[in-house]
Amino acid sequence: MSCNLRVKFNHMEFKNPIVAASGTFGFGEEYNEVYEVETLGGICSKGLTLNAKEGNSGIRLWETPMGILNSIGMENPGVKEFVRKELPKMKKYNTRIIANVGGATEEEYLTIIEELNDTDLDMIELNISCPNVKEGCMAFGIHEKSAANIVKQVKRICRHPLVVKLTPNAENIVKVAASCEAAGADGISLINTFKAMAVDIEKRKAVFENVYAGLSGPAIKPIALQMVHEVSKAVSIPVIGMGGIMNWKDAVEFIMAGAHLVQIGTVNFVNPEAGKEIVLGLQNYMEKEGIKSIDEIRGIV
Amino acid sequence: MSCNLRVKFNHMEFKNPIVAASGTFGFGEEYNEVYEVETLGGICSKGLTLNAKEGNSGIRLWETPMGILNSIGMENPGVKEFVRKELPKMKKYNTRIIANVGGATEEEYLTIIEELNDTDLDMIELNISCPNVKEGCMAFGIHEKSAANIVKQVKRICRHPLVVKLTPNAENIVKVAASCEAAGADGISLINTFKAMAVDIEKRKAVFENVYAGLSGPAIKPIALQMVHEVSKAVSIPVIGMGGIMNWKDAVEFIMAGAHLVQIGTVNFVNPEAGKEIVLGLQNYMEKEGIKSIDEIRGIV
Amino acid sequence: MAIIKSNERVGEGIFLLEIEGIFRGKPGQFYMLKVNDEYPLLSRPISIFEITEDTIKFLYQSSGEGTKILSRKSEGDAIYLRGPYGNGFPSVEGKIALVGGGMGAAPLYETGKQLLKKPAITTVDLFLGFSYELVLKDKWEKISSRFFYDIGGYVSNLVPVSNYDVIFSCGPDVMMKKMTEAGKANGVPVYVSIESRMACGIGACLTCTCHTKNGNRKVCKDGPVFLGEDIYEL
Amino acid sequence: MAIIKSNERVGEGIFLLEIEGIFRGKPGQFYMLKVNDEYPLLSRPISIFEITEDTIKFLYQSSGEGTKILSRKSEGDAIYLRGPYGNGFPSVEGKIALVGGGMGAAPLYETGKQLLKKPAITTVDLFLGFSYELVLKDKWEKISSRFFYDIGGYVSNLVPVSNYDVIFSCGPDVMMKKMTEAGKANGVPVYVSIESRMACGIGACLTCTCHTKNGNRKVCKDGPVFLGEDIYEL
Ligand SMILES: Cc1cc2nc3c(=O)[nH]c(=O)nc-3n(C[C@H](O)[C@H](O)[C@H](O)COP(=O)(O)OP(=O)(O)OC[C@H]3O[C@@H](n4cnc5c(N)ncnc54)[C@H](O)[C@@H]3O)c2cc1C
Ligand SMILES: Cc1cc2nc3c(=O)[nH]c(=O)nc-3n(C[C@H](O)[C@H](O)[C@H](O)COP(=O)(O)OP(=O)(O)OC[C@H]3O[C@@H](n4cnc5c(N)ncnc54)[C@H](O)[C@@H]3O)c2cc1C
Ligand SMILES: Cc1cc2nc3c(=O)[nH]c(=O)nc-3n(C[C@H](O)[C@H](O)[C@H](O)COP(=O)(O)O)c2cc1C
Ligand SMILES: Cc1cc2nc3c(=O)[nH]c(=O)nc-3n(C[C@H](O)[C@H](O)[C@H](O)COP(=O)(O)O)c2cc1C
Ligand code: FES
Ligand code: FES
């Protein structure tokens, strides 16, 4: 095999561009019973907060036409428990490990980063884009100023490479991306879920206790792709693209639109073996087309 | 039958809340061969520009998971031809007739409005939200200031009730809605299509000549519903909701989220009889549930 | 991919699906059934109704869109199965009551069948409640010592709780809560099989989280069977 | 809703779909076929292949997602049909050549069948080009005076253009353009049936617009048959 799937993300190499998206893959353990998760280029942890979080009550999931609405509300064991219990298990997989970090306040973000500084993580994904918690998180990602500010603070202390995960609900996602770059981000990932909702017409009530929830899945792919395309052209740091990727063809679309890496989320629920299949599909495609390196096709659209 | 479907939209009565969305229903003529289009509460014309427009070249349509991307580019006969040829035919239908007006410049909008002032239209829908033309249109709808400005100018001369059609690509759609209200709009309609894209991986090119196109259909419904909900709570003028409505249940969701009227677009392509079926379905539902007037359920979520 | 052997209507909106193949699973576990390639996206969690040497069967209600699509499939059509998932009912001894309401009956069939065969089990009494009609009439008696049913009422009222060593219950929340209360009053442990919306089915996404006395648990992995007391505020 | 009578594979990825019922339509017109309730959203435009007293047939290639789903359907399955739409081939006289490439052959079957029956028609010569294989071998000779075919080459080269009064052509753009050029050189009118993506199929949405010498036209309503000269820049 003469093609290779390796991707350079700044100075760090990923064995292939397919990464499991935060919140859809746990800490990898369950999926490792389905296939060897180190087949993937990387794994993002569930979003971590400082303290353990119970998550939202009420219904947490609603299916929509080719999409899903979720309102998990960042249920997670807290960063300390992550470092103690989950990270050592994750590090056994021969793949890149990314910690997704969410917070309600600047202080919370900074404390989490400190807790993670001395671990052997590969990367931090700063989640300023979760629509399912009442305080903070997505609020930081709406405006370029608040985004730049939190990134600057975090960069000051963070010893790991820092990717900032953006929300499609940003007022101007291109400006937010550019301001994160200017504030020192090492990469941008996008998109998190869309603020969206459903109504239960029988109960005459919103389906979710929080009223709004986050939309993901193939339904949003055309919008996600557009945003990845526009952001990739606007920044010079590498971009991680995601939103509705269901198969290797979708992954190629995102790469051609400019993504260095892509993340797969909802598809893991649709087909738990998707990660493996997408890596294989991509390899197959590159061999058939005689593409020796992903650099040849990245951003050609 | 004790229930009635009538809706008051300011001082104007619609016989029911189901209106055909601009660009998906021509001028009603073709669908009138499928069912009597006066079954509907109203019909929006195709977007009108000052002069006839040829529309975009290249592929104009691409199917996505439960959505469609279109790049029509406002092909239309121009406002004069509309007034001369199409409007008289539309006026024969016993339903509300709405002219959808697009423009590249403020001047163009104003001239079109003047051309329409002396006609017996029921309403004007000011389209500041089309993503498929290179100049103007959606550009006016991104910021609350430009939106307010064009609305103010138009209101100054417009003799018909004026509804402003918003784009989900607005930086802050709630602020845009509020600023349109403050500038004198008689109503808000939302949402137009999302800026989105697709890549043809074989050709290694964007599918559309314009690269970006507009996404509509059930895929976007959860986001559209969220926006309609939020905007309805923020303004006191009536709201026309749309985005992915496929059946009467979806229509009820939008009404419960706060919409006075709803528009149906993409569904007309999926099932040309959808308009009729949705009106009947809504009537049936109200009878079964003992809902005497739509006022009882509007905005209860 | 699996191929449907039969998908028979056995009651008003209720279907018995049979799929050929060698399948694993114990009573109370479930499979995730994906009814179509593309649409809808998510699989539906459905309990094992019966496992034989060369088939697996599911009893399900066509309620929403996914199960409606499933109900239109017939012999030879493809379907996707993943499982078995979940913990299933625990192993028990003595006199057992199985109490099911509506589609909650489904997991109790294989449960009764296997319990009846165990030497340590002396009685398996089956109590089923339905809203409209009793489905699969002929089958239930075969997998129980005694079979009682009720149409339109509260089946939980029929259960002489103190007669049993353990109760397994599956059905509407109100019913399971009632059984749990009655069990507590009589010192009889009640295991309930609860429902929750699921995305992954394997414990990774946290959509199926339920709050228990011992903290959050995943219905798909830690459940669907829990001790009633851990779930319901009594 | 219509019920599929048969959906037979007649070549590599090529299927003949038969639906029972009384259907209208003239040669060159098409129907919009919706292959599933929910997904995909849009119907696929497919030409009338043959209409008999009590059935309609379509010859189609399974290329993308929608036609792939269609190809998996079988007898008894439901499908949704709307039509007939479009203008169809014009009425003509004298010696006619029908020139089809690939799936462009489909509309020429009913066309030949009907032309052959008309007294004003003296010859109907059929020229078909395929990339890999000739499908439905036995059928084409029955609806033509003479039948020529070509595998893997340029069928347009086989046509002695000047022998004919009118040419109908359907297939790849390059082929139809070539025929139009040849027709023009010989003073023979060439009608072409063109393809375009369609949403509504009835003239309302303007997705199928094509630029012609006479301005924009809707393929679904004004076409799909146009005078070649009006479409191609020669
Ligand atoms: C462990 C377990 C075992 C089950 N066993 C059976 C069984 O044997 N027979 C049977 O008829 N039903 C069973 N159910 C319920 C069954 O999963 C739902 O009725 C089914 O998912 C509804 O899907 P739908 O397509 O009809 O509804 P839709 O409204 O289209 O579903 C939309 C989404 O909500 C989910 N959902 C809707 N209702 C439920 C529900 N009650 N429980 C869980 N998810 C739901 C769906 O899975 C889907 O993701 C079981 C549920 C669980 C959790
Ligand atoms: C008037 C007319 C008559 C036709 N008659 C036949 C026929 O008899 N037999 C046959 O095999 N094919 C015919 N076609 C082509 C056929 O419509 C397409 O092959 C089919 O729509 C592709 O759908 P898909 O699901 O395979 O592809 P997808 O890639 O899933 O389609 C995505 C979208 O693009 C559209 N699309 C893709 N390719 C084409 C195309 N070539 N033409 C029009 N729309 C396209 C689809 O309709 C759909 O809306 C005809 C087309 C037209 C316009
Ligand atoms: C159930 C669920 C939980 C998620 N949790 C997180 C999270 O904790 N942190 C985060 O940054 N993104 C989270 N996401 C967003 C995904 O990582 C991803 O950005 C989004 O789903 C879009 O990709 P997809 O369409 O492939 O799913 C979650 C998504 C889902 C569906
Ligand atoms: C083919 C097509 C053409 C459209 N043309 C217009 C237009 O001219 N003016 C306009 O305001 N909106 C136009 N729209 C947007 C629709 O009116 C509607 O806002 C949008 O499609 C969302 O509704 P839907 O999901 O029900 O289609 C068009 C949409 C489609 C699909
Ligand atoms: S369904 Fe994903 S954790 Fe239970
Ligand atoms: S397909 Fe809508 S106008 Fe032709």
Side-chain angles (χ1 to χ4, degrees):
Chain A
M1 180 188 53
S2 60
C3 78
N4 88 63
L5 275 69
R6 287 194 286 276
V7 173
K8 275 230 158 191
F9 195 89
N10 298 318
H11 303 298
M12 192 183 293
E13 193 173 271
F14 283 69
K15 67 167 104 164
N16 68 58
I18 312 299
V19 175
S22 176
T24 67
F25 214 71
F27 300 103
E29 198 173 356
E30 293 82 9
Y31 282 96
N32 201 44
E33 288 172 28
V34 181
Y35 65 96
E36 290 186 358
V37 294
E38 59 191 33
T39 313
L40 298 172
I43 300 174
C44 277
S45 77
K46 173 71 200 163
L48 302 169
T49 52
L50 183 53
N51 300 312
K53 242 175 118 77
E54 296 260 299
N56 293 334
S57 51
I59 281 183
R60 288 182 172 195
L61 173 79
W62 191 257
E63 216 174 339
T64 72
M66 292 306 256
I68 65 174
L69 284 166
N70 89 76
S71 179
I72 309 297
M74 292 272 247
E75 175 172 350
N76 82 92
V79 66
K80 286 199 178 119
E81 186 71 3
F82 167 74
V83 171
R84 199 183 64 75
K85 208 179 121 202
E86 303 296 346
L87 183 56
K89 287 192 274 178
M90 289 181 89
K91 283 303 297 179
K92 288 201 189 125
Y93 310 128
N94 172 27
T95 187
R96 295 292 177 194
I97 303 301
I98 303 170
N100 181 281
V101 170
T105 61
E106 187 180 303
E107 212 190 321
E108 183 178 355
Y109 278 107
L110 295 176
T111 318
I112 302 172
I113 297 293
E114 274 166 5
E115 295 281 344
L116 293 172
N117 259 343
D118 294 324
T119 66
D120 54 352
L121 276 173
D122 292 304
M123 200 183 262
I124 287 186
E125 182 173 62
L126 197 72
N127 175 355
I128 54 170
S129 43
C130 177
N132 289 326
V133 286
K134 289 218 168 108
E135 268 149 35
C137 212
M138 191 177 91
F140 291 98
I142 300 287
H143 297 275
E144 56 264 31
K145 279 192 190 152
S146 50
N149 182 59
I150 187 83
V151 171
K152 203 176 292 167
Q153 301 305 325
V154 167
K155 263 311 271 188
R156 204 165 279 169
I157 61 160
C158 183
R159 293 200 213 115
H160 298 291
L162 184 78
V163 166
V164 185
K165 184 162 176 184
L166 307 188
T167 166
N169 303 302
E171 295 210 335
N172 184 325
I173 197 165
V174 177
K175 281 192 191 157
V176 172
S179 78
C180 290
E181 178 177 27
D186 302 301
I188 296 291
S189 70
L190 74 164
I191 59 176
N192 208 316
T193 55
F194 272 93
K195 196 165 67 171
M197 78 181 286
V199 170
D200 185 328
I201 65 172
E202 273 166 46
K203 297 198 184 129
R204 302 187 185 185
K205 286 209 319 197
V207 162
F208 294 100
E209 278 194 10
N210 274 356
V211 184
Y212 301 151
L215 182 67
S216 64
I220 65 168
K221 195 198 81 175
I223 314 178
L225 189 64
Q226 186 279 324
M227 289 178 169
V228 167
H229 185 256
E230 207 171 340
V231 164
S232 302
K233 304 277 176 231
V235 298
S236 46
I237 48 178
V239 165
I240 307 179
M242 80 196 85
I245 293 176
M246 292 294 282
N247 49 47
W248 66 265
K249 286 184 195 174
D250 292 337
V252 171
E253 284 196 63
F254 277 83
I255 292 167
M256 288 185 174
H260 277 69
L261 303 171
V262 300
Q263 288 183 15
I264 53 169
T266 302
V267 70
N268 295 305
F269 309 151
V270 177
N271 170 13
E273 298 188 51
K276 188 179 67 180
E277 290 174 11
I278 293 174
V279 172
L280 288 177
L282 183 62
Q283 181 173 324
N284 212 5
Y285 159 77
M286 287 174 64
E287 276 166 21
K288 270 203 190 138
E289 296 275 314
I291 298 165
K292 297 227 170 56
S293 150
I294 285 180
D295 300 342
E296 289 174 36
I297 55 168
R298 181 186 317 111
I300 62 175
V301 164
Chain B
M1 179 189 53
S2 59
C3 78
N4 87 63
L5 276 71
R6 287 195 287 276
V7 172
K8 275 231 158 191
F9 195 90
N10 297 319
H11 303 298
M12 192 184 293
E13 192 173 272
F14 282 69
K15 66 167 102 163
N16 67 58
I18 313 298
V19 175
S22 177
T24 67
F25 214 72
F27 301 103
E29 198 172 355
E30 293 83 9
Y31 282 97
N32 201 44
E33 287 171 27
V34 181
Y35 65 95
E36 291 187 358
V37 293
E38 59 191 33
T39 312
L40 298 171
I43 302 172
C44 277
S45 77
K46 173 73 200 161
L48 302 169
T49 52
L50 183 54
N51 300 310
K53 241 175 119 76
E54 295 260 298
N56 294 335
S57 50
I59 280 183
R60 289 183 172 192
L61 173 78
W62 192 258
E63 217 175 336
T64 72
M66 292 307 257
I68 65 175
L69 284 165
N70 89 77
S71 179
I72 308 297
M74 292 271 249
E75 177 173 350
N76 81 93
V79 65
K80 286 200 177 117
E81 187 70 2
F82 167 74
V83 171
R84 198 182 64 75
K85 210 180 121 203
E86 302 297 345
L87 183 56
K89 286 192 274 178
M90 289 182 90
K91 284 303 297 181
K92 288 200 188 124
Y93 310 127
N94 172 28
T95 187
R96 295 292 177 194
I97 302 302
I98 303 171
N100 182 280
V101 170
T105 62
E106 185 180 305
E107 213 190 320
E108 184 178 354
Y109 278 107
L110 295 175
T111 319
I112 302 171
I113 297 293
E114 273 165 6
E115 294 284 344
L116 293 171
N117 259 342
D118 294 325
T119 64
D120 53 355
L121 276 174
D122 293 303
M123 201 184 261
I124 287 187
E125 182 173 62
L126 197 72
N127 174 355
I128 55 171
S129 43
C130 177
N132 289 325
V133 287
K134 289 217 168 107
E135 268 150 34
C137 211
M138 190 177 91
F140 291 98
I142 301 285
H143 297 276
E144 56 262 32
K145 278 191 192 156
S146 51
N149 182 57
I150 188 83
V151 171
K152 203 177 290 170
Q153 301 305 324
V154 167
K155 264 310 273 188
R156 203 163 282 169
I157 61 160
C158 183
R159 296 203 210 114
H160 297 290
L162 183 77
V163 165
V164 185
K165 184 163 177 183
L166 306 189
T167 167
N169 303 302
E171 295 209 335
N172 184 323
I173 198 166
V174 176
K175 280 192 191 158
V176 172
S179 78
C180 290
E181 178 177 28
D186 303 301
I188 297 291
S189 70
L190 74 164
I191 59 175
N192 208 317
T193 55
F194 272 92
K195 197 165 67 171
M197 79 181 286
V199 170
D200 186 327
I201 65 171
E202 273 165 46
K203 298 197 183 128
R204 303 188 183 185
K205 284 207 322 196
V207 162
F208 294 100
E209 279 195 9
N210 274 356
V211 185
Y212 302 151
L215 182 66
S216 64
I220 65 168
K221 196 198 82 175
I223 315 178
L225 190 63
Q226 186 279 324
M227 290 178 167
V228 167
H229 184 255
E230 207 170 341
V231 165
S232 303
K233 304 276 178 234
V235 297
S236 46
I237 48 178
V239 165
I240 307 179
M242 81 197 85
I245 293 177
M246 291 296 280
N247 50 48
W248 65 265
K249 287 183 194 173
D250 293 337
V252 171
E253 283 196 62
F254 276 84
I255 291 167
M256 287 186 173
H260 277 70
L261 303 171
V262 300
Q263 288 184 16
I264 53 168
T266 303
V267 70
N268 296 304
F269 308 152
V270 177
N271 169 14
E273 298 187 51
K276 188 180 68 182
E277 290 174 11
I278 293 174
V279 171
L280 288 177
L282 184 62
Q283 182 173 325
N284 213 5
Y285 159 76
M286 288 174 64
E287 277 166 22
K288 271 204 191 136
E289 296 275 313
I291 299 166
K292 297 227 168 58
S293 150
I294 285 180
D295 299 343
E296 291 174 33
I297 54 169
R298 182 186 315 110
I300 62 174
V301 165
Chain C
M1 206 188 69
I3 299 293
I4 292 177
K5 188 175 173 190
S6 70
N7 190 19
E8 201 189 330
R9 193 181 162 288
V10 296
E12 182 67 28
I14 298 174
F15 295 79
L16 185 64
L17 172 70
E18 185 172 2
I19 290 162
E20 238 160 321
I22 296 169
F23 290 94
R24 291 176 308 119
K26 55 178 231 174
Q29 286 191 305
F30 64 96
Y31 273 77
M32 293 291 278
L33 272 64
K34 183 151 165 58
V35 302
N36 248 346
D37 273 318
E38 296 90 5
Y39 180 91
L41 286 177
L42 297 178
S43 302
R44 271 47 181 167
I46 305 284
S47 301
I48 295 169
F49 173 76
E50 186 177 10
I51 289 194
T52 68
E53 247 175 44
D54 55 1
T55 67
I56 188 166
K57 290 184 197 163
F58 301 97
L59 182 68
Y60 69 94
Q61 183 152 34
S62 158
S63 45
E65 244 185 301
T67 50
K68 217 164 271 165
I69 290 172
L70 178 56
S71 71
R72 288 193 218 111
K73 304 256 162 176
S74 55
E75 194 191 335
D77 287 342
I79 189 179
Y80 302 82
L81 285 190
R82 295 188 278 126
Y85 292 143
N87 55 0
F89 287 110
S91 90
V92 288
E93 298 188 354
K95 294 189 235 161
I96 317 295
L98 307 178
V99 187
M103 280 302 97
L108 301 180
Y109 188 82
E110 184 67 24
T111 307
K113 203 174 98 186
Q114 296 203 13
L115 287 177
L116 261 192
K117 290 185 201 150
K118 297 212 169 122
I121 305 288
T122 53
T123 305
V124 183
D125 286 348
L126 176 64
F127 301 84
L128 296 184
F130 292 98
S131 317
Y132 308 108
E133 55 172 334
L134 171 65
V135 296
L136 300 177
K137 246 187 191 141
D138 330 331
K139 299 200 82 157
W140 302 109
E141 282 180 1
K142 296 190 192 140
I143 56 97
S144 52
S145 314
R146 288 181 299 174
F147 172 44
F148 307 88
Y149 71 91
D150 180 276
I151 309 284
Y154 295 95
V155 67
S156 46
N157 293 343
L158 302 183
V159 186
V161 177
S162 59
N163 290 2
Y164 300 101
D165 295 309
V166 181
I167 295 174
F168 289 172
S169 179
C170 185
D173 262 313
V174 275
M175 184 199 90
M176 295 195 290
K177 190 175 176 191
K178 265 204 166 152
M179 286 314 306
T180 303
E181 275 164 357
K184 182 147 197 194
N186 291 279
V188 179
V190 176
Y191 289 91
V192 299
S193 176
I194 65 174
E195 287 190 359
S196 178
R197 277 150 201 270
M198 294 182 180
C200 71
I202 60 174
C205 69
L206 306 184
T207 60
C208 68
T209 295
C210 72
H211 301 279
T212 75
K213 296 238 164 76
N214 313 308
N216 278 357
R217 288 291 178 274
K218 302 166 184 174
V219 175
C220 69
K221 202 166 183 183
D222 305 318
V225 178
F226 294 94
L227 207 46
E229 291 180 55
D230 291 345
I231 298 292
Y232 299 108
E233 301 282 341
L234 300 181
Chain D
M1 207 188 68
I3 299 294
I4 292 176
K5 189 176 171 189
S6 70
N7 189 20
E8 202 189 330
R9 192 179 164 288
V10 297
E12 182 66 29
I14 298 174
F15 294 79
L16 186 63
L17 171 71
E18 186 172 1
I19 290 162
E20 239 161 320
I22 297 168
F23 290 94
R24 291 174 309 119
K26 54 180 230 171
Q29 286 191 306
F30 64 96
Y31 273 77
M32 293 292 276
L33 273 64
K34 184 153 166 54
V35 302
N36 248 347
D37 273 319
E38 295 89 5
Y39 179 91
L41 285 177
L42 297 178
S43 302
R44 270 50 180 164
I46 305 285
S47 302
I48 296 169
F49 174 76
E50 186 177 9
I51 289 194
T52 67
E53 248 174 44
D54 54 2
T55 68
I56 188 166
K57 290 183 196 163
F58 301 96
L59 182 69
Y60 69 94
Q61 183 152 34
S62 157
S63 45
E65 243 185 301
T67 50
K68 217 164 273 166
I69 290 172
L70 179 56
S71 71
R72 288 192 219 114
K73 305 255 162 178
S74 56
E75 194 191 334
D77 287 342
I79 189 181
Y80 303 82
L81 286 190
R82 296 187 279 126
Y85 293 141
N87 55 1
F89 287 110
S91 88
V92 289
E93 297 189 354
K95 293 190 237 163
I96 316 296
L98 308 178
V99 186
M103 280 301 97
L108 301 180
Y109 188 82
E110 184 68 24
T111 308
K113 203 174 98 184
Q114 295 202 14
L115 287 176
L116 260 192
K117 291 185 199 149
K118 297 212 169 125
I121 305 288
T122 52
T123 304
V124 183
D125 286 348
L126 176 65
F127 302 85
L128 296 184
F130 292 97
S131 316
Y132 308 108
E133 56 171 337
L134 172 64
V135 296
L136 300 177
K137 244 185 193 146
D138 331 332
K139 299 201 82 157
W140 303 108
E141 281 179 2
K142 296 190 191 141
I143 56 96
S144 54
S145 314
R146 289 181 299 174
F147 171 45
F148 308 89
Y149 71 90
D150 180 275
I151 309 284
Y154 295 97
V155 66
S156 46
N157 293 342
L158 302 183
V159 187
V161 177
S162 59
N163 289 2
Y164 301 100
D165 295 309
V166 181
I167 295 175
F168 290 171
S169 180
C170 185
D173 262 313
V174 275
M175 183 200 90
M176 296 195 288
K177 189 174 178 193
K178 264 202 168 154
M179 287 313 306
T180 304
E181 273 162 359
K184 182 146 197 196
N186 291 280
V188 179
V190 177
Y191 289 91
V192 299
S193 176
I194 65 174
E195 287 189 359
S196 178
R197 278 150 200 269
M198 294 181 181
C200 71
I202 60 173
C205 70
L206 308 183
T207 60
C208 68
T209 295
C210 71
H211 301 278
T212 75
K213 296 237 165 78
N214 313 307
N216 279 356
R217 288 291 180 274
K218 303 167 184 174
V219 174
C220 68
K221 201 164 186 185
D222 305 319
V225 178
F226 294 93
L227 207 47
E229 290 180 58
D230 290 345
I231 299 292
Y232 299 107
E233 301 281 339
L234 299 181

